[in-house]
Amino acid sequence: MAWWDEAKARYRPAGPNGQVSPTDEEITAILDDPDVSDETKRELIAAWSYDYATGYIWGDVLIQERTGFDPDNVPDEVKDYIEEYDAQEYVDNYAANAIGNDALSQAVNDAATIATYGEENPGGPGALPGSGNPSADMQAAIDQAASERRYADKVEEQRENGERLQSYADQLKATGSTGAASSEEIFDSGEIGLEFFRLFWGKYCRYRSGGGGSRAGARDSKGGGGTSLTGNPFADKWILKARYNEQREVVFRRISDQVEQYSRAVDSLQRHVDELTTAQRDLFAAWEGEAAEAASLTYDDAVDQARTLMKELDNAGTVLNEVRSALEQMCVTKAQTVNGLFTSTINGISPDVVGRLVTVAKGGASEGDILYVASQFGIPADQECLDISDDVKAEVQRSASEWCDGNLVPVVETKVEAFWDVCDATDEGFEEILGVMREMLVQGAQAGSGSNGARGR
């Protein structure tokens, strides 16, 4: 091939309406970024390879007519990335989809979809679209990569916090205490889970508004005075945060301090009992008669009362230790559950793309959004299609709605249910255990009053 023919084949300003393709530098920056998933990289490589394999007719910027498909036009740099990320199947399926376009058999479309999303999730966005517009597909992959990089720090924070919570749980199991001074320390490590609702609750509410109701939004708290979500994302973010933080100000150290006070009181009483016993032995070794007997009974009664009080205080301390451990366990469980709710995508789809899917599913989306979503689902579409017929718009809208019904709705509702359940369970557990603790404190106070009487005899 002469150099000018090669230049023609590799010339790729790309895109409809003269828009410029992502540059090789932009693409390789994504492919070399450790915070971008291999799945997104393979999709980007597939469109990048096809872009080179088809090229554009030299100078035809207005019409943007592509040359025939020739994989020999793909540069070695692209081939190296195909090999590095084991992306050949993605490249082949993309080319088959793009070349066949709407004449492609359903079997090949299904194979391309399953190659990306597996048997359990056919038809997901990003499923090797093969729209015939690799510029749009590359840009979609780059947008996805940007979202992945944006939330990479959050994912790392979730992992670190999860490890911290597990450390609390392990210490609690080994020693009966997490070592945390208060529930605030524990809840800080689970709080990132609320980020999921910040990213996706508003999109869920927007999709569910105007029909079908919201199972998640209808949940009332059992012990929270009828607290429920409103379907207004701005109000609901405060409701979710408040429900999570309902037990945030429990100071475990104060319970431990109370146990320590009981322990010191028991030690003090033990000293008094020892002193009484020694005095009784010394005194009555040399004292006999009726007066001695009466005095001996008084000493015995005082020692018995002191020992009874010691037992009560010791029991109270034991119960308070158990109460503190139970409260800490519930806080750790709640924080671990909420921490585990965080994901920066829904089935691999970033919040930005989910937002566009909802917009298209609800109708009234811009043509840009429709074309973008069409490329994600492998639906052949361009500006000319939209100008000629509404059928493509209807197909894209239907596909977006099906994705939302099959992915956005069940994922969000499942996470809201899990969040609400753990909040309700923690509310109920705290009420029950704090009731026991209050009762023990009253008994301890009564025992303390009795001890004063014993020492006064």
Side-chain angles (χ1 to χ4, degrees):
M1 179 186 294
W3 69 266
W4 56 85
D5 292 325
E6 184 175 354
K8 291 178 184 178
R10 294 189 178 183
Y11 175 66
R12 54 182 199 94
N17 305 320
Q19 75 184 71
V20 177
S21 283
T23 66
D24 287 350
E25 288 74 15
E26 290 177 286
I27 293 169
T28 55
I30 297 294
L31 297 179
D32 294 335
D33 191 329
D35 289 332
V36 178
S37 69
D38 286 354
E39 189 70 26
T40 297
K41 290 177 181 179
R42 292 185 186 107
E43 293 179 8
L44 178 56
I45 290 168
W48 190 30
S49 173
Y50 181 81
D51 201 27
Y52 265 115
T54 54
Y56 283 93
I57 293 177
W58 183 261
D60 199 356
V61 177
L62 295 179
I63 299 175
Q64 295 289 297
E65 182 181 351
R66 286 187 174 273
T67 65
F69 180 78
D70 185 355
D72 290 338
N73 289 334
V74 178
D76 288 341
E77 179 185 29
V78 180
K79 293 177 180 177
D80 289 342
Y81 279 110
I82 293 172
E83 182 176 356
E84 179 180 351
Y85 288 101
D86 193 22
Q88 189 60 54
E89 184 177 4
Y90 286 64
V91 170
D92 294 342
N93 284 332
Y94 186 98
N97 268 353
I99 293 170
N101 218 341
D102 59 345
L104 184 68
S105 72
Q106 187 60 46
V108 177
N109 264 320
D110 289 344
T113 297
I114 291 170
T116 304
Y117 275 87
E119 300 275 359
E120 300 302 321
N121 186 25
L128 299 176
S131 65
N133 184 358
S135 295
D137 297 333
M138 283 189 286
Q139 189 58 54
I142 289 173
D143 291 346
Q144 172 70 18
S147 294
E148 291 173 10
R149 287 189 293 187
R150 187 185 319 159
Y151 299 114
D153 290 343
K154 293 290 185 184
V155 172
E156 179 63 17
E157 181 182 348
Q158 180 194 33
R159 185 191 64 78
E160 292 175 353
N161 287 347
E163 291 176 353
R164 187 176 301 113
L165 289 169
Q166 187 57 50
S167 176
Y168 283 135
D170 292 341
Q171 186 169 343
L172 180 62
K173 183 177 181 180
T175 68
S177 173
T178 62
S182 72
S183 60
E184 182 176 7
E185 294 181 30
I186 296 172
F187 279 15
D188 281 347
S189 296
E191 196 169 29
I192 192 171
L194 299 177
E195 282 285 298
F196 172 84
F197 301 116
R198 185 183 68 79
L199 296 176
F200 296 108
W201 177 249
K203 297 170 179 59
Y204 168 87
C205 292
R206 185 156 59 93
Y207 179 68
R208 298 290 283 179
S209 65
S214 167
R215 187 186 81 205
R219 276 294 300 265
D220 289 330
S221 61
K222 294 178 181 178
T227 302
S228 62
L229 296 171
T230 66
N232 179 338
F234 298 101
D236 287 343
K237 70 177 181 180
W238 296 108
I239 292 173
L240 290 162
K241 187 172 184 178
R243 282 234 68 192
Y244 178 63
N245 288 322
E246 283 168 336
Q247 298 83 23
R248 191 178 184 86
E249 298 179 356
V250 180
V251 182
F252 305 129
R253 183 181 293 140
R254 290 182 183 173
I255 302 176
S256 297
D257 289 346
Q258 185 67 54
V259 173
E260 184 61 30
Q261 287 180 17
Y262 287 162
S263 179
R264 287 196 298 268
V266 170
D267 290 342
S268 178
L269 282 170
Q270 184 63 58
R271 286 195 301 273
H272 285 303
V273 168
D274 292 343
E275 290 170 0
L276 281 170
T277 302
T278 300
Q280 183 185 32
R281 184 178 60 247
D282 294 344
L283 176 61
F284 296 110
W287 186 17
E288 296 179 354
E290 292 183 6
E293 283 188 24
S296 179
L297 290 173
T298 301
Y299 267 88
D300 288 342
D301 184 50
V303 170
D304 288 343
Q305 288 191 48
R307 285 174 174 161
T308 298
L309 180 56
M310 286 167 56
K311 183 177 181 180
E312 290 174 350
L313 290 175
D314 190 53
N315 288 341
T318 299
V319 170
L320 284 180
N321 268 326
E322 293 174 353
V323 163
R324 187 202 61 224
S325 294
L327 295 178
E328 290 185 60
Q329 180 64 69
M330 285 190 292
C331 289
V332 169
T333 298
K334 184 176 184 178
Q336 285 181 316
T337 301
V338 174
N339 174 272
L341 296 177
F342 177 74
T343 57
S344 60
T345 65
I346 289 182
N347 292 339
I349 307 305
S350 68
D352 297 340
V353 176
V354 171
R356 297 177 92 165
L357 286 164
V358 169
T359 298
V360 171
K362 295 291 287 182
S366 69
E367 291 183 341
D369 279 335
I370 292 172
L371 290 172
Y372 182 91
V373 171
S375 74
Q376 294 293 287
F377 282 99
I379 298 173
D382 55 24
Q383 187 63 51
E384 185 178 359
C385 290
L386 300 184
D387 292 340
I388 294 173
S389 171
D390 290 333
D391 290 346
V392 172
K393 292 182 182 179
E395 182 182 356
V396 175
Q397 182 176 355
R398 182 173 61 255
S399 296
S401 295
E402 289 173 354
W403 186 89
C404 290
D405 288 334
N407 295 272
L408 174 64
V409 170
V411 169
V412 171
E413 289 186 349
T414 297
K415 287 180 181 284
V416 169
E417 293 283 343
F419 174 82
W420 223 254
D421 285 345
V422 77
C423 288
D424 281 345
T426 309
D427 286 347
E428 294 167 4
F430 259 68
E431 281 303 309
E432 181 178 347
I433 290 176
L434 290 176
V436 172
M437 189 174 76
R438 284 191 289 267
E439 182 179 341
M440 292 306 303
L441 290 174
V442 169
Q443 290 179 359
Q446 292 172 346
S449 299
S451 69
N452 289 332
R455 286 193 293 271
R457 294 191 178 196

